[in-house]
Amino acid sequence: MQFYRLAFLLLFPFVSIAQNNDAETVRKIHEHILSKGMCYEWLTNLCTQYPGRLAGSAADSGAANYTKSVLETLLPDTVYLQECQTLYWERGDTGQIFRVLPDGDLSPIMGLSLGRAGATGPNGITAQVIEVKSLDELERLPDEEVAGKIVFFNRPMDPSFVNTFRAYGGAVDQRVYGPNRAQKKGAAGALVRSMTLRIDNVPHTGVTVFDSGQMKIPAFAVSTKDAERLSKALTEAPVYVYLNSNCKDVGMKPTYNVIAEIRGSEFPDEILLVGGHLDSWDVGQGAHDDGSGCVQAMEVISTLQKMNYKPKRTIRCVLFANEENGLAGGLEYARVSKEKGEFHLAALESDAGGFTPKGFSFEADTSVFKKYYKAVSQFLPTFEGYGLYFEMGGSGADISPLKSQKGLLIGLRPDSQRYFDYHHTTIDTIDAVHERELKLGAAAMTSLIYFLDTYGLGSSTTQNTESGTH
Amino acid sequence: MQFYRLAFLLLFPFVSIAQNNDAETVRKIHEHILSKGMCYEWLTNLCTQYPGRLAGSAADSGAANYTKSVLETLLPDTVYLQECQTLYWERGDTGQIFRVLPDGDLSPIMGLSLGRAGATGPNGITAQVIEVKSLDELERLPDEEVAGKIVFFNRPMDPSFVNTFRAYGGAVDQRVYGPNRAQKKGAAGALVRSMTLRIDNVPHTGVTVFDSGQMKIPAFAVSTKDAERLSKALTEAPVYVYLNSNCKDVGMKPTYNVIAEIRGSEFPDEILLVGGHLDSWDVGQGAHDDGSGCVQAMEVISTLQKMNYKPKRTIRCVLFANEENGLAGGLEYARVSKEKGEFHLAALESDAGGFTPKGFSFEADTSVFKKYYKAVSQFLPTFEGYGLYFEMGGSGADISPLKSQKGLLIGLRPDSQRYFDYHHTTIDTIDAVHERELKLGAAAMTSLIYFLDTYGLGSSTTQNTESGTH
């Protein structure tokens, strides 16, 4: 028994009766998934058979076919692939970075080309490094100090934030826009300190964005350990590095949203979407980002089917294509949905890792948010019993284009402490995912979908609650 | 912003004003520990320099001296060791278990002698295995079916519980009492399925209890993978195993509670204790169990000192001796405290692993619990902002002898999913502890001690709150 739960019952005393059945259903959902859930097994297959699922790659389409075939075994009403197109960028060789020592020797730096970065040409480039801590600091430098140099963005993520996503949000502008800004000032290349709170040898890739028609310069993430070494060396003498990379934009390629649906019996036109994104970066296995979210969404469908639950509303599992570098899947899904005149009452995405769930984050168009907020707050006591909170905030990139439908957008919020240890790296592999933590996320998602299906978001109960609290 | 927090503010509107300062202090505590905390470094030293801190061992006393010396650098008012005596049991050689195959070949089984178990003698023993799923099932067997056999307790922990400690609580009677009951029915030895939810090759030791004067039989934990294999083999044909172990009770040895105290300025006789236990099993490094709790308690003292906080009440850090097999440290501490006529207003123990904190669990004598419950519930809104809950329940083994002082006993409740992957094994090592997760636990503990020191547990504010809620 938890203290704040008591407080809540004082506010909504009449809710507690109705929730006895709900509590039992949620308990059964947890029991089923923890003892018989399949999501970890599916994730193992996805990671080991289709690692590096960069949108448009063979692994990406293989993963779409694999997950489609698994979803078919769960016997939902429909399962299909939705094709869209993405610009396919290829890393080519691994890419190399060396510090050129005063005697001409080369000292290796752990690095990875950023996604959609430019290449060096076959002979590589050697240039002097200048370090900045922010885009603003770069802007203030005279162009002639930047021209021909390699700009090194080295502002660390701030460890003092409890939520690591806030620390990421406070540093990632360097990776996304740094190379672009550096090029505009004439830089020959860019290095970006990896987006992680650990000090280690693991470089973290991720997208970097050039303007349409802008010349793409080579740009690498460097490991935090090497970033610290490089920064120290810069305090002592001029530093030169040698870069070599042959990554390139190959052209447009097809990629696929995987969609499975259980048709609602009473309100089939109110869609409850649950999803993650199937693509990953080309390094590692995309285990936490975001194989976890995909198999959790599949587990929602699986659990409802195995518990023989007949939803009132349409429940749709969507494994989105191309979240990492283009959002083609999310955009195409929303476009087709709009064309069909669909309404997503709620969309829930898991894209923050397969760690122990801590809660859900809700967003919606301001015209409807307050109404939805009151409706979901009725579900909270049951979730609090599982240590889960509700908060206002973001949801997920893939479902964000659905916002104009004025439904409720929801993000699963797992414990964030370890996410950026693995994010966009070679070590985001199945052994970094804990089976029970992954399953608890799936159970939390299934429980929320159950509540949304049972009560909707604008029922008369909500009206009662409103009057009850004033 | 979290929904249930809003609800709480409705109940305690006048508290929210006072808590602006508190919220800022708690934020600073988190910021300090996450960016400058020392606990992970101390834990690294403790684990690598003093692994296997079985009470009475050289590693145990070395750890006491090491932590005492660290605490001295923090400049509290007093730091000292409190000696007590414990029966020292020694594992001797690693111990061996083999399945004897029909052709006489030996197939190794991953196992570890249980703590305080008996030995086989130098030649080992070979006997037939009988499997039971519970102590009751054993009781129902005729003695002649048990005599001379090796009883194999093989009821798994139940994966359907969300909280793994409940699953542990539902299975650990087999390890604690199984060998005792088996011996009373004439068994030659006992095997116990390891207490973990994973299926792997890692045996988990832990204490087993024989009556005073009872003959101790050899008793081993076996890995879950081998438990499953053994169980399968038993369905096919009689199974024989060979056991060899030379563990023994050596005799009484000294062990030490490590105590550091900051004297209170206004209410020095109201003690706020924060602690963990310094001893561990002899295998592994005792990183999660319970080096983590010790360094977190040390971090509380360190943080208050570095923030230049002058407590009103006496804050005492206690690293208890001998929790794992005797509780000599906790008992001696309570005995001396009683002799001195001390009053522990609250005692907070961390002994559930160095994982992301999820909340606190509170217990007290029934005559005072309700009063304390109301007092601490005032602190909750601030903690909810960090995703932490309060619940009624147990606290910690070492502080439990203080219950008769009628103060509040508190247990830190970290995420429990991974704890039993490591508990009492060779793999409970520093690399299984995540620095930020450990530090968040220390920050939660420091924050709670700050509230307890600032507001106590029976202030006039509590009275106001009572009238405000009715």
Side-chain angles (χ1 to χ4, degrees):
Chain A
M1 175 56 67
Q2 297 169 11
F3 290 175
Y4 50 80
R5 194 164 170 187
L6 287 182
F8 227 88
L9 293 182
L10 290 177
L11 282 176
F12 306 116
F14 49 85
V15 176
S16 59
I17 300 162
Q19 290 195 336
N20 286 340
N21 286 335
D22 298 335
E24 178 58 13
T25 302
V26 168
R27 194 193 62 72
K28 281 184 181 160
I29 287 169
H30 280 76
E31 184 178 276
H32 169 81
I33 294 179
L34 284 172
S35 53
K36 296 184 202 130
M38 293 295 293
C39 56
Y40 187 78
E41 197 174 316
W42 295 330
L43 185 59
T44 303
N45 294 340
L46 190 61
C47 286
T48 55
Q49 294 171 32
Y50 308 100
R53 298 177 298 279
L54 194 61
S57 67
D60 177 47
S61 57
N65 287 317
Y66 165 68
T67 49
K68 175 171 176 276
S69 71
V70 171
L71 284 163
E72 281 164 348
T73 66
L74 306 177
L75 305 175
D77 298 315
T78 48
V79 185
Y80 60 101
L81 300 182
Q82 183 177 59
E83 185 178 320
C84 49
Q85 298 289 320
T86 183
L87 174 64
Y88 185 62
W89 170 91
E90 210 168 51
R91 182 173 303 280
D93 300 331
T94 315
Q96 294 179 310
I97 318 180
F98 292 96
R99 184 172 158 217
V100 184
L101 300 179
D103 62 3
D105 274 3
L106 296 178
S107 169
I109 292 174
M110 295 301 295
L112 268 180
S113 275
L114 295 179
R116 301 221 166 159
T120 60
N123 298 322
I125 59 168
T126 300
Q128 192 180 346
V129 174
I130 52 170
E131 178 180 346
V132 296
K133 290 292 170 75
S134 68
L135 302 182
D136 282 352
E137 186 183 341
L138 172 67
E139 289 308 319
R140 288 193 298 270
L141 291 178
D143 286 5
E144 56 272 25
E145 278 187 35
V146 178
K149 307 264 175 62
I150 291 171
V151 179
F152 168 39
F153 295 90
N154 191 33
R155 183 170 83 258
M157 279 169 61
D158 184 345
S160 71
F161 287 113
V162 171
N163 184 333
T164 62
F165 283 85
R166 287 186 64 189
Y168 178 71
V172 74
D173 63 323
Q174 300 172 100
R175 189 196 77 211
V176 177
Y177 303 113
N180 176 319
R181 302 287 177 84
Q183 191 277 334
K184 286 176 180 163
K185 291 182 84 80
L191 304 179
V192 182
R193 181 191 179 98
S194 283
M195 295 295 137
T196 178
L197 288 154
R198 290 187 87 98
I199 302 297
D200 62 19
N201 289 312
V202 181
H204 294 235
T205 189
V207 79
T208 195
V209 173
F210 291 95
D211 301 344
S212 171
Q214 184 181 6
M215 190 184 89
K216 292 181 171 195
I217 57 173
F220 287 76
V222 299
S223 76
T224 47
K225 211 169 235 178
D226 280 329
E228 305 252 297
R229 285 197 196 109
L230 207 52
S231 186
K232 183 157 181 289
L234 280 159
T235 63
E236 291 158 5
V239 171
Y240 290 80
V241 298
Y242 167 78
L243 307 179
N244 194 318
S245 63
N246 61 348
C247 47
K248 61 170 185 242
D249 289 331
V250 177
M252 298 306 285
K253 288 221 183 189
T255 182
Y256 307 90
N257 293 325
V258 183
I259 302 173
E261 175 179 304
I262 310 173
R263 188 104 178 129
S265 59
E266 283 185 43
F267 312 110
D269 295 339
E270 294 190 2
I271 298 166
L272 301 173
L273 181 154
V274 59
H277 66 83
L278 197 52
D279 67 311
S280 73
W281 280 100
D282 55 328
V283 298
Q285 300 178 344
H288 280 293
D289 188 12
D290 180 29
S292 290
C294 291
V295 298
Q296 286 172 325
M298 292 161 70
E299 189 78 89
V300 173
I301 296 287
S302 172
T303 303
L304 296 178
Q305 294 287 74
K306 293 205 175 126
M307 289 176 72
N308 212 13
Y309 179 79
K310 303 295 175 204
K312 293 194 247 181
R313 294 170 170 83
T314 292
I315 296 176
R316 190 182 285 174
C317 165
V318 183
L319 315 182
F320 289 96
N322 186 221
E323 190 270 351
E324 294 294 1
N325 59 350
L327 211 68
L331 292 169
E332 176 67 4
Y333 179 83
R335 188 190 67 74
V336 172
S337 179
K338 190 179 176 187
E339 208 169 80
K340 290 183 181 171
E342 288 181 346
F343 173 57
H344 286 73
L345 178 65
L348 163 59
E349 180 158 11
S350 167
D351 183 22
F355 303 99
T356 298
K358 299 200 81 169
F360 294 99
S361 175
F362 297 90
E363 66 170 327
D365 187 272
T366 48
S367 62
V368 287
F369 185 72
K370 202 172 164 186
K371 173 181 146 191
Y372 292 155
Y373 161 110
K374 287 194 173 160
V376 295
S377 68
Q378 288 184 78
F379 314 155
L380 182 61
T382 304
F383 289 89
E384 285 181 331
Y386 290 79
L388 299 170
Y389 61 77
F390 287 1
E391 67 176 12
M392 305 180 216
S395 56
D398 300 291
I399 58 177
S400 61
L402 295 172
K403 196 164 181 179
S404 59
Q405 291 191 12
K406 300 194 178 174
L408 181 63
L409 305 184
I410 313 167
L412 179 72
R413 292 292 170 258
D415 189 287
S416 72
Q417 299 310 314
R418 287 175 282 141
Y419 187 67
F420 292 101
D421 298 357
Y422 305 110
H423 187 239
H424 297 177
T425 68
T426 55
I427 62 170
D428 182 8
T429 54
I430 183 66
D431 52 287
V433 179
H434 192 273
E435 181 170 349
R436 287 179 57 88
E437 294 182 352
L438 179 77
K439 286 178 167 176
L440 284 174
M445 291 165 70
T446 309
S447 302
L448 185 58
I449 293 292
Y450 160 77
F451 269 102
L452 290 166
D453 182 59
T454 302
Y455 296 105
L457 287 173
S459 69
S460 58
T461 316
T462 308
Q463 298 307 317
N464 289 341
T465 304
E466 281 190 69
S467 58
T469 54
H470 288 114
Chain B
M1 176 56 67
Q2 296 168 12
F3 289 175
Y4 50 81
R5 192 162 171 186
L6 286 181
F8 226 89
L9 293 181
L10 291 177
L11 282 175
F12 307 116
F14 48 87
V15 177
S16 60
I17 299 159
Q19 289 193 336
N20 287 339
N21 285 336
D22 298 334
E24 178 58 14
T25 301
V26 168
R27 194 193 62 72
K28 280 185 182 159
I29 287 168
H30 280 77
E31 183 177 275
H32 169 81
I33 294 179
L34 284 172
S35 53
K36 296 184 201 129
M38 293 294 293
C39 56
Y40 187 78
E41 196 172 318
W42 295 329
L43 185 60
T44 303
N45 294 339
L46 190 62
C47 287
T48 55
Q49 295 172 31
Y50 308 100
R53 299 177 299 279
L54 195 61
S57 68
D60 177 47
S61 58
N65 286 318
Y66 166 67
T67 50
K68 176 171 175 275
S69 72
V70 171
L71 285 164
E72 282 165 348
T73 66
L74 306 177
L75 304 175
D77 297 316
T78 49
V79 185
Y80 61 99
L81 300 183
Q82 183 178 59
E83 186 177 322
C84 51
Q85 298 289 319
T86 184
L87 175 63
Y88 184 62
W89 170 91
E90 211 168 50
R91 183 173 303 280
D93 301 330
T94 315
Q96 294 179 310
I97 319 181
F98 291 95
R99 184 174 157 215
V100 184
L101 300 178
D103 61 3
D105 275 4
L106 297 177
S107 168
I109 291 173
M110 295 302 293
L112 269 180
S113 276
L114 295 179
R116 301 221 166 158
T120 60
N123 298 323
I125 59 168
T126 300
Q128 193 181 343
V129 174
I130 52 170
E131 178 180 345
V132 297
K133 289 291 171 72
S134 68
L135 301 182
D136 282 352
E137 185 182 342
L138 172 66
E139 289 308 319
R140 287 193 298 270
L141 291 178
D143 286 6
E144 56 271 25
E145 279 187 34
V146 178
K149 306 266 175 60
I150 291 170
V151 179
F152 168 38
F153 296 90
N154 191 32
R155 185 171 79 259
M157 280 169 60
D158 183 346
S160 72
F161 287 113
V162 172
N163 185 332
T164 62
F165 283 85
R166 288 186 64 189
Y168 178 71
V172 73
D173 63 323
Q174 301 172 99
R175 189 196 76 212
V176 177
Y177 304 113
N180 176 321
R181 302 287 177 83
Q183 191 278 332
K184 286 177 181 162
K185 292 184 83 80
L191 303 179
V192 182
R193 182 192 179 99
S194 283
M195 296 295 137
T196 179
L197 288 154
R198 290 187 87 97
I199 302 298
D200 62 18
N201 290 310
V202 181
H204 294 235
T205 189
V207 79
T208 195
V209 173
F210 291 94
D211 300 345
S212 171
Q214 183 181 8
M215 190 185 89
K216 292 181 171 194
I217 58 174
F220 287 77
V222 299
S223 76
T224 47
K225 211 169 236 180
D226 280 329
E228 306 254 296
R229 284 197 196 109
L230 207 52
S231 186
K232 183 158 181 290
L234 280 160
T235 64
E236 291 157 6
V239 171
Y240 290 79
V241 299
Y242 167 79
L243 306 179
N244 193 317
S245 62
N246 62 349
C247 47
K248 62 170 186 239
D249 289 332
V250 177
M252 298 306 285
K253 288 220 182 187
T255 182
Y256 307 90
N257 293 325
V258 183
I259 302 173
E261 175 180 304
I262 310 173
R263 188 103 178 129
S265 58
E266 283 184 44
F267 312 109
D269 295 339
E270 294 190 3
I271 298 166
L272 300 173
L273 181 154
V274 59
H277 67 83
L278 197 51
D279 69 309
S280 73
W281 280 100
D282 55 328
V283 297
Q285 300 178 344
H288 280 292
D289 187 14
D290 178 33
S292 290
C294 291
V295 298
Q296 286 171 326
M298 292 161 70
E299 189 77 87
V300 173
I301 296 286
S302 171
T303 302
L304 296 178
Q305 294 287 75
K306 292 204 175 128
M307 289 175 73
N308 213 14
Y309 180 79
K310 303 296 176 203
K312 294 193 246 179
R313 294 170 168 85
T314 293
I315 295 175
R316 192 182 283 175
C317 165
V318 183
L319 315 183
F320 290 95
N322 186 221
E323 190 270 349
E324 294 293 359
N325 58 351
L327 212 68
L331 292 168
E332 176 67 4
Y333 179 82
R335 188 191 66 74
V336 172
S337 178
K338 190 179 175 186
E339 209 169 79
K340 289 183 181 170
E342 288 180 347
F343 173 57
H344 286 74
L345 178 66
L348 163 59
E349 179 159 12
S350 167
D351 183 21
F355 303 98
T356 297
K358 298 200 81 168
F360 294 100
S361 174
F362 297 91
E363 65 170 328
D365 187 272
T366 48
S367 63
V368 288
F369 185 73
K370 202 172 164 187
K371 174 181 143 188
Y372 293 154
Y373 161 111
K374 287 195 173 158
V376 294
S377 67
Q378 287 184 78
F379 313 156
L380 183 60
T382 304
F383 288 90
E384 286 179 332
Y386 290 79
L388 299 169
Y389 62 76
F390 286 1
E391 68 177 10
M392 305 181 216
S395 56
D398 299 291
I399 58 177
S400 60
L402 295 171
K403 196 164 181 179
S404 58
Q405 291 191 12
K406 301 193 178 175
L408 181 63
L409 305 183
I410 313 166
L412 179 72
R413 291 292 170 258
D415 189 287
S416 72
Q417 299 310 315
R418 287 174 284 143
Y419 187 66
F420 292 100
D421 298 355
Y422 305 110
H423 186 238
H424 298 177
T425 68
T426 55
I427 62 170
D428 182 10
T429 54
I430 184 66
D431 52 288
V433 179
H434 192 272
E435 180 169 348
R436 287 178 57 87
E437 294 181 352
L438 179 77
K439 285 178 167 177
L440 284 174
M445 292 165 71
T446 308
S447 301
L448 185 58
I449 292 293
Y450 160 77
F451 269 102
L452 290 166
D453 182 59
T454 302
Y455 296 105
L457 288 172
S459 69
S460 59
T461 316
T462 308
Q463 298 307 316
N464 288 340
T465 305
E466 280 188 72
S467 59
T469 54
H470 287 115

